[in-house]
Amino acid sequence: MDMATKTPHVLCINPWIYDFAAYDHFSRPLGLLYVAAYLKSRGVEASLIDCMDKHHPDLLKRQGRSKPKLTRYGIGQFHREIIPNPECLSYMPRHFARYGWPEDIFISELKNRPAPDAILVTSGMTYWYPGPRRVIELCREHFPGVPILLGGIYASLMPDHAQQLLAPDHLVTGPGEIEAANILADILKMPHLRENHPTNIDDFPYPAFELYRHVDYYITMASRGCPFRCTFCATYKIDENFNQRKPDAVIEEIFSQTRRFRVKDVAFYDDALFMQAKKHIKPILREVAARKKDLRFHTPNGLHARYIDEELAQLMFDSGFKTIRLSLESVAKERMRDIHNKITPGEMTRAVKNLIKAGYRPRDLETYIIMGLPNQPQEEVLETILYANSLGIHVRLASFSPIPGTKDYERAIENGYLPKDPDPLITNTSVIPLFRTREAYDEFYNISQFTRMLNEGLKLDVKLIPENGLRQTLFKAFDRVRTWE
Ligand code: B12
Ligand code: SF4
């Protein structure tokens, strides 16, 4: 091809995850796929290396499989290779690992392709920075001189840290479609990339899932941002505006993209999917239910249960919501007030009742409960767990991870729980970041195993909470056992 007419090409990369645990629970680099789609729509060629892609033929060959092992919704384990714990986390009684491809598969991917005109690297959790750091190191080695852009959550929340440690040529904070195009206009010598950006959220293209060799499920967002400001959450730091898409545009995307990629499962990444339900999510789900396409919907991110009235619960059931995670966090009054008055136990109970009336079994529902906040007593966590268990729903413990820029992060530093400029590695959710000792970890482990037992009990119909049931007998037995020699 004549060089003068060659379409400029960007290589998009989703790095490995370095962590104690990682599971593909509808986990795709959605932000990067939005940026890639936008660039493609403006005439740039884009390709993708996703180090977490379970369908890579070399990976499958090594695993001795022809297809990855997936559950019914297309999710599943990532490949992992154990590596030494980072020095600051050496006390952790768990294996640290690099999740995703073995490194040599990534290197041969780089070797087997011509040098791109620019490389776009995304970043996830702040404490996953070793992934993008290694990707950038290897890209510099294999494609010297090719400009590297870094964006995503870590880049947005810790731009100084990222710039210093990873030294990308360009660092983008916040939504990246327009910013990436502006930067690339010069690099790719495509001045039009700087012009005529859409102003309406619905005029941006759908995420570029076509860059994958195989699509297991589709992910979308019916809105961006969140109108709340919870003390532990950094969403507003990443995207300070709250914007909802037009219901018709979301419906069109769901049906056309699931048809195109032949998938049945759709996950929503929204932070506030149920805001203004009457004019937003309800018309979307009404249409989905009416078309009877047997789609399945998943909300890995927590939902605002407050808005689940009888009508919404019925629409969720009829349209095929399967993975339902309700945000509860805590039942302690002061905590709720402090967090943002997002929900009360009464509202949670009502939402669960509405969902059960609509056709769900309680154990089909899950709730997020937070532990490890500054000055949060253990009793508060246990009380919240027991309350959720009394509703018959599955508990998901989320350990608090202090995020730069949030109120709780500042408080953690002010109260001496965190050093002033902590290495993000110590804020990993698995390590009970504010305490960072083996004892704190063991305590968390006990609570999480207790929670697991309660969750298993639900499946077997064992109820510990009712006044005169197993609970009384159990406590009496505990007391008696304690007096044994
Ligand atoms: C969906 C989600 C999840 C999903 C999965 C995410 C995944 N990909 O694997 C689930 C529910 C599993 C999850 C879990 C957790 N999450 Co989460 N999650 C999110 C959420 C809501 C959306 C992320 C997202 O994809 N957004 C959509 C895309 C469109 O936005 P984006 O990625 O930012 O991309 C844009 C820009 O960043 C930029 N961009 C992105 N890449 C690139 C690349 C280039 C080159 C350029 C130029 C631009 C660019 O352009 C994009 C388009 O505008 C965010 C909150 C938020 N609003 O960001 C929290 C968030 C990332 N999660 C967070 C947390 C705390 C957690 C948990 C620790 C919660 C817990 N205590 O258990 C767990 C931990 C998981 C783990 N294994 O460690 C924190 C971040 C923590 C941190 N330290 O970094 C966030 C910010 C929420 C918060 N509480 O503040 N999460
Ligand atoms: S925790 Fe949820 S409701 Fe609160 S600000 Fe973050 S996204 Fe919004």
Side-chain angles (χ1 to χ4, degrees), residues 225-236 271-272 301-302 304 327 329 339-340 342:
C226 176
F228 293 102
R229 295 287 178 263
C230 299
T231 47
F232 56 82
C233 179
T235 289
Y236 78 104
D271 286 303
N301 206 13
H304 288 95
S327 297
E329 320 300 0
I339 288 178
H340 203 287
K342 204 160 58 165

Side-chain angles (χ1 to χ4, degrees), residues 102-136:
E103 208 174 83
D104 64 292
I105 296 186
F106 177 71
I107 294 173
S108 49
E109 277 285 333
L110 294 184
K111 279 190 181 153
N112 291 338
R113 55 181 77 219
D117 297 295
I119 299 171
L120 272 60
V121 181
T122 192
S123 58
M125 307 291 154
T126 50
Y127 48 81
W128 289 348
Y129 73 83
R133 180 173 63 182
R134 185 71 184 133
V135 159
I136 291 180

